[in-house]
Every structure is written in structure tokens, then in C-alpha cells.
Amino acid sequence: MPSEFELIERCFKRRTHHTLLGIGDDGALIVPTAGHELVVSTDLLVEGTHFFPDVDPEDLGWKTLAVNVSDMAAMGAQPRWATLGIAVSPEPTFSWLDDFARGFFACADEFGVDLIGGDTTRGPRCFAVTIMGEVPAGQALRRSGAQLGDEIWVSGFPGRAARGLAHLQDRAPLGDQQLADCLAALHRPQPRVALGLALRGIAHAAIDVSDGLLADLGHILEESGVSATLDSLPQNVDNAYLAGGDDYELVFSAPATRSADIAALAEQLQLPLTRIGRIEAGLPGSLRVIDSAGQDMTPAKRGFDHFR
Ligand code: ADP
Ligand code: MG
């Protein structure tokens, strides 16, 4: 049985790249870049709620950081530093946490995040990350910025993670081809950092899809005091696309005058960006969904809610 300190030393202490003082003291020291604002966000992953007990620890390590990096992407921020709070029972000792750490640091390396501290305790398994990123002063993408006439866009392929989960739960089996993509989306979400950075100065509002496309778009609408109609959705849009959570794609609104820039961005980033509707005046937060045959298909449930 390793001690708490052996465990931190072995699994989580790594070289940092842009940190004055990292793991090992009572606090870390970081030097924010002049002229920038710090963007701070926390996400918690709890066994039984966010992951199965038999999850692959390396995938879980990736996802634990990736969902936080995604919040930086949604703010248009460059991810920089993170802390990691861990509760584990004594059993999954070195080898489980080694694997977790490998996935975590793969994500950290990919997105330039230094792990600068945390806390480790015995308890029902859960992981909490606080992430910090930087954005030039005044340029963060907020939920509250959507304007009348904006077009609404979404990145990537929403619904894949929910389809992967439905497959694993024997609710809706997938064929081999789809299965690989859907399980990758579920286990190894790719935060859209390059997109978030490129959308500074283009998008009026942005959010990442963690609870469901409609649910998360709903937050933009409420915060911006506007309504929306989605009338250019891809054909065969299903409930997983509209209300499946866990995709970590970005939904954003931008003026119609920037649509060519956004199309160019999709090309440059090799990432599909789909225009699905527009911002309108109306009851704040309200949302109409029109299918490709012109029928109203506004669903009852917009997404996942931990308390409903
Ligand atoms: P303190 O008792 O002063 O809170 P700890 O003994 O809990 O400090 O932690 C020692 C050092 O290890 C601190 O720098 C802390 O930030 C770091 N640390 C503890 N747990 C983790 C973890 N899971 N991941 C990264 N760093 C950690
Ligand atoms: Mg402590």
C-alpha cells in the first residue's frame, strides 16, 4: 500500500512548462500573461454518475481533463494550468492510477496544460479538476452575447457519445463502423480548443455541449435573452443529436456576415461546422426545431439534468 505522498510523487508529479512553482508546496505559483484575463472552471466526475466502475482508467484520465479543457475552448481561452482532486479507495493503487495518469497527461500534453497541484484522499471514487486558461482582456466568448439575426453553428458530429453509451447499455446496438467513432467520442472526447481560439472576434456567444445540444443552446438563449429556430438541421436528425450529452462539441452564434469565415475555418481545422438555425426575437430561452420536411419536431426533453 503506497503512502499518499508516494502516490502523488509517482503518478502526478511531472515537469511543468509554464509554471513558477508546481506540485510540492502548499500552493502553486503561476504568472498570468500580461494583458490577459484568467478563465477558471471546475468539473467533477463521480463513479456511477459519470463513469462505470469498470471504466478503462486511461480513458477516464483523458476524459477527466478533456471535459475541463472543453470549458476553456467554449470561452475562447488557451488552457494553461489545472489542479486535480482525487478520492479513491486504497485498492486501485499504483497500477490503476498509473493508467489514469497516462491518459490525463496525454490530454495535458496535447493541450499544453501544466498540472500544478491537487489533493488526494480516501473515499468513494471521484475526480475534480479545476482548470485555468487565459484570454486577451475583453475577448472571452460568453453565453450572453448572442444577437438577433445571428446564425447558430455546431462543430463535429453531435450525438456520437450518446449513441456509444446507448450501445454499451444495450439500448441501441451499433454496427462496427459507427461503433468505433461513437465509443471514441464517448471515451476520448476531443475538446475544440483550436476552434474556440479561432472564434474570438467572430462568434458572439459559445458553449460546449456537455448535457445536450438543445439544453446547452438553451443556456445561450436564456443568458442572451433571445429565442431560436433550428430549421437547417441535417437530415435524419435524431434524439441523440439533439439531446445527447457528453459530446464536447461547440455550439456558437455568429453574425451572418461571418459565414464565409466560418466555412474557411472548417476547412482549415478539418472539422465540420454546420449551420443549424438562427437567433430570433421571442420568449427568452424558447426554441423551435423544424425537421427537413418542414415539420415542427420540438422535443420534450432537451438534454441531461442531474436533478431531474
Ligand atoms: P497540503 O496538505 O498542504 O494540502 P498535500 O500534502 O495535500 O498538501 O499535497 C502535497 C502536494 O501535492 C501539494 O503541492 C498538492 O498540490 C499536491 N497534490 C496532492 N494531490 C495531488 C493530485 N492528486 N494531483 C496533483 N497534485 C497533488
Ligand atoms: Mg492537502
Side-chain angles (χ1 to χ4, degrees):
M1 182 69 229
S3 78
E4 178 187 331
F5 303 101
E6 286 168 337
L7 204 146
I8 295 164
E9 191 70 29
R10 162 152 164 183
C11 298
F12 295 110
K13 198 158 174 179
R14 293 277 198 291
R15 199 165 65 87
T16 54
H17 303 277
H18 41 257
T19 300
L20 197 54
L21 180 64
I23 291 173
D25 211 314
D26 291 310
L29 295 172
I30 56 179
V31 184
T33 307
H36 287 60
E37 289 160 352
L38 269 185
V39 184
V40 183
S41 175
T42 297
D43 258 313
L44 187 60
L45 279 86
V46 176
E47 182 169 302
T49 302
H50 300 95
F51 59 90
F52 299 124
D54 62 350
V55 66
D56 177 294
E58 194 172 337
D59 283 343
L60 183 63
W62 172 280
K63 189 164 177 174
T64 297
L65 184 58
V67 302
N68 283 275
V69 170
S70 174
D71 286 315
M72 297 296 101
M75 296 297 292
Q78 178 71 56
R80 301 274 280 167
W81 302 280
T83 62
L84 171 64
I86 294 185
V88 278
S89 58
E91 295 82 59
T93 47
F94 279 161
S95 79
W96 197 95
L97 277 172
D98 272 342
D99 292 343
F100 177 93
R102 192 171 330 109
F104 187 96
F105 285 109
C107 186
D109 291 344
E110 172 106 21
F111 295 100
V113 174
D114 279 352
L115 181 65
I116 58 167
D119 201 18
T120 306
T121 158
R122 174 196 294 253
R125 206 188 291 164
C126 83
F127 302 90
V129 169
T130 295
I131 191 163
M132 283 152 277
E134 295 186 306
V135 64
Q139 290 189 36
L141 303 174
R142 304 179 183 210
R143 296 178 180 184
S144 56
Q147 295 178 19
L148 298 186
D150 277 2
E151 294 175 327
I152 299 167
W153 297 78
V154 65
S155 66
F157 304 94
R160 281 186 174 174
R163 286 182 210 115
L165 182 65
H167 174 94
L168 294 180
Q169 295 178 332
D170 289 327
R171 288 185 280 119
L174 294 169
D176 286 351
Q177 185 47 50
Q178 274 206 50
L179 185 59
D181 289 338
C182 292
L183 291 184
L186 180 65
H187 294 312
R188 294 265 172 165
Q190 301 295 318
R192 302 306 187 188
V193 174
L195 176 61
L197 295 178
L199 287 175
R200 288 176 188 162
I202 295 180
H204 282 155
I207 192 167
D208 64 327
V209 180
S210 55
D211 295 328
L213 175 59
L214 299 185
D216 290 313
L217 173 58
H219 296 311
I220 288 185
L221 303 179
E222 282 153 19
E223 293 301 318
S224 302
V226 294
S227 161
T229 296
L230 304 186
D231 57 2
S232 27
L233 288 159
Q235 278 186 354
N236 305 324
V237 147
D238 61 357
N239 198 55
Y241 185 103
L242 292 173
D246 246 10
D247 280 312
Y248 305 97
E249 296 295 350
L250 294 188
V251 179
F252 56 96
S253 90
T257 52
R258 303 307 297 268
S259 62
D261 298 315
I262 295 168
L265 206 53
E267 194 61 35
Q268 184 196 323
L269 299 175
Q270 289 291 293
L271 175 67
L273 298 175
T274 311
R275 199 169 49 78
I276 56 173
R278 61 192 133 61
I279 300 289
E280 293 173 340
L283 193 64
S286 66
L287 181 53
R288 281 198 318 145
V289 183
I290 312 292
D291 69 16
S292 49
Q295 296 295 311
D296 194 304
M297 60 170 297
T298 305
K301 202 165 158 53
R302 288 183 177 187
F304 184 78
D305 183 321
H306 282 285
F307 296 108
R308 280 199 180 148

